Amino acid sequence: MGNLKEFTKGLIKENPTLVGLLGMCPTLAVTTQAVNGIGMGLATTFVLLGSNIVISLLKKVIPKSVKLPCYIVIIAGFVTLISFLLHGFVPSLYDALGTFLSLITVNCIILGRAEMFACKNKVIPSALDGLGMGLGFTLSLFIMGSVREILGSGSWMGIDIPFITQPMSVFVMSAGGFFVLGVVIALVNKIAGKKPPQKIGCAGCPNAANCSGRKGGAEE
Amino acid sequence: MKSILVIMISAVFVDNFVLSKFMGICPFLGVSKKLSSSLGMGAAVIFVMTCATAITYPVYWYVLVPNNLQYLNTVAFILIIALFVQLVEIALKKVMPPLYNSLGVYLPLITTNCAVLGVTLLNIDNGYTFLQSIINAVFAGVGFSLALILFSGVRSKLETADIPATFKGIPSTLIAASIVSLSFMAFSGLIS
């Protein structure tokens, strides 16, 4: 039962993007199409699952003082692996994601989960946590991608929607990305009956412990 | 061959890292609350981007390429950036405490700033020469700072605005960012 909870919490209740406000960059950049959103989400899920498993297995071996570089190398290894796989099997997605595939390495969801969960828990809960968080990320990317594709290109999953004759192309541009994300976060908070977050949380940031910048402005 | 001027203008305005490439959104939203912190973060990012490019460029062409290890670029670059940021932080703390107090606090945030890794990878992808890479890195940093500084002004107005409760905080900030980004889209015709 406990393990199941680790899996489901990431989907909606602690959704990393819409509730935790982590991993904003890929959320905005690749969601011009719903398909790209799913692709990016699944690639991130793969890396998150792999890195959570490996980090939780190695939690006793990695010295505390150099854990951040160690985590980053493990994550970057998985990122290299997934970019090989995508390059070989789904070249169109590989081209669409571009640099953002490599930038999964610095996605704060992955480092955040490594720091907050995988380094303290056993392998199976860590794997489920990674899978749940990854799928939650995929879900929010899919929602963002769908909204932007329908409004901006008049199609969904690559299929044209007949009654939208003049799509508003601003939605597939960068300005539309910020706008849709803002509205989606507001909607999620409205539905959940919560006050929207006032600032980007430092809680999920892997550097929170040794970061004095919080005093400077990131946190009031 | 792109001329230096084109790279400069394109890095600051047309392909602005924050507003049109979506890199470094976390510090953009997190640190842009005050002008002073925007300036500090901007200066730190310019410095780290330039130095990271100066180190990763030779590493890629003189270490990875001769050994056919190009696919290791993500691993190598992020490791270099993480080590470099750590070193700079330690050095600044010892040698120049005043500078550390104004810039150093932002350094740990930069390791996981995707704009830094992004600029080093894009320089390689675009096939820039060493000089072009450095110019691109400096001006990408300038563009990042420009966005941060402009946005800190917008946010100070936003604090006092009367917004529906559901939109208060991050949602309204994102929508304001969308309008700033819209204004930067006007530059897109500058370079064809």
Side-chain angles (χ1 to χ4, degrees):
Chain A
M1 256 332 265
N3 284 347
L4 191 68
K5 219 174 86 195
E6 304 301 351
F7 174 67
T8 52
K9 71 173 185 227
L11 294 179
I12 294 169
K13 214 177 107 213
E14 291 179 28
N15 188 297
T17 320
L18 300 177
V19 180
L21 298 176
L22 296 169
M24 292 278 124
C25 307
T27 311
L28 290 162
V30 301
T31 52
T32 50
Q33 286 183 326
V35 177
N36 290 352
I38 296 178
M40 183 70 189
L42 291 181
T44 309
T45 308
F46 171 83
V47 176
L48 195 51
L49 182 63
S51 69
N52 260 13
I53 291 174
V54 171
I55 288 168
S56 107
L57 283 172
L58 292 177
K59 62 178 179 280
K60 294 221 172 73
V61 187
I62 296 174
K64 253 211 158 76
S65 49
V66 289
K67 63 181 177 179
L68 201 62
C70 292
Y71 294 167
I72 288 182
V73 171
I74 292 168
I75 295 166
F78 279 104
V79 171
T80 310
L81 198 64
I82 190 77
S83 58
F84 270 136
L85 289 173
L86 286 185
H87 194 53
F89 292 108
V90 213
S92 59
L93 186 65
Y94 179 83
D95 291 334
L97 297 181
T99 332
F100 278 91
L101 202 56
S102 310
L103 292 182
I104 295 179
T105 319
V106 282
N107 188 326
C108 31
I109 297 174
I110 299 172
L111 261 178
R113 291 328 287 174
E115 183 85 6
M116 288 171 63
F117 201 90
C119 69
K120 294 177 201 145
N121 287 283
K122 291 211 173 72
V123 179
I124 292 170
S126 300
L128 288 170
D129 175 79
L131 201 61
M133 285 290 165
L135 291 177
F137 181 64
T138 312
L139 180 71
S140 34
L141 252 62
F142 173 67
I143 295 171
M144 283 278 296
S146 302
V147 173
R148 289 180 71 186
E149 197 183 347
I150 292 170
L151 293 176
S153 331
S155 60
W156 189 63
M157 305 287 278
I159 304 159
D160 281 333
I161 298 172
F163 54 86
I164 300 178
T165 45
Q166 276 195 318
M168 296 172 276
S169 55
V170 70
F171 277 99
V172 291
M173 293 177 192
S174 45
F178 283 113
F179 183 78
V180 172
L181 184 61
V183 174
V184 168
I185 291 175
L187 265 181
V188 166
N189 285 301
K190 184 79 186 166
I191 293 165
K194 278 193 298 190
K195 270 188 143 181
Q198 298 302 308
K199 53 192 175 267
I200 292 284
C202 268
C205 173
N207 291 318
N210 53 359
C211 167
S212 38
R214 282 181 295 167
K215 288 187 219 102
E219 209 168 48
E220 280 155 286
Chain B
M1 281 294 249
K2 272 189 182 176
S3 75
I4 300 292
L5 191 69
V6 173
I7 293 177
M8 283 179 191
I9 295 174
S10 142
V12 179
F13 297 111
V14 184
D15 285 329
N16 188 289
F17 260 65
V18 179
L19 296 169
S20 70
K21 280 196 185 137
F22 295 125
M23 289 179 188
I25 301 290
C26 298
F28 176 63
L29 295 176
V31 187
S32 65
K33 218 159 197 170
K34 276 183 290 176
L35 183 63
S36 58
S37 48
S38 301
L39 284 171
M41 184 71 184
V45 165
I46 296 176
F47 176 70
V48 173
M49 267 187 177
T50 313
C51 297
T53 304
I55 305 171
T56 52
Y57 189 88
V59 166
Y60 183 81
W61 289 108
Y62 300 110
V63 179
L64 295 183
V65 172
N67 295 311
N68 278 324
L69 290 171
Q70 287 97 322
Y71 58 87
L72 278 181
N73 61 356
T74 315
V75 184
F77 286 10
I78 190 67
L79 201 58
I80 290 170
I81 293 169
L83 288 176
F84 176 73
V85 170
Q86 204 110 63
L87 277 180
V88 169
E89 205 194 345
I90 295 168
L92 271 187
K93 215 179 209 167
K94 274 256 187 289
V95 185
M96 282 182 280
L99 192 64
Y100 176 78
N101 285 334
S102 56
L103 290 190
V105 291
Y106 303 105
L107 286 173
L109 288 171
I110 290 180
T111 319
T112 48
N113 181 346
C114 53
V116 177
L117 182 62
V119 80
T120 56
L121 290 171
L122 283 175
N123 281 333
I124 303 292
D125 283 353
N126 291 345
Y128 285 156
T129 62
F130 185 69
L131 184 67
Q132 284 172 326
S133 300
I134 295 288
I135 298 279
N136 188 35
V138 173
F139 283 89
V142 171
F144 178 86
S145 317
L146 180 72
L148 232 68
I149 292 163
L150 281 179
F151 199 56
S152 70
V154 175
R155 277 185 89 167
S156 65
K157 295 277 175 212
L158 210 58
E159 297 270 283
T160 54
D162 186 24
I163 314 166
T166 327
F167 278 91
K168 268 205 178 111
I170 289 298
S172 62
T173 310
L174 283 167
I175 291 170
S178 134
I179 296 166
V180 176
S181 156
L182 204 61
S183 70
F184 266 70
M185 270 164 58
F187 290 116
S188 63
L190 213 58
I191 291 167
S192 53

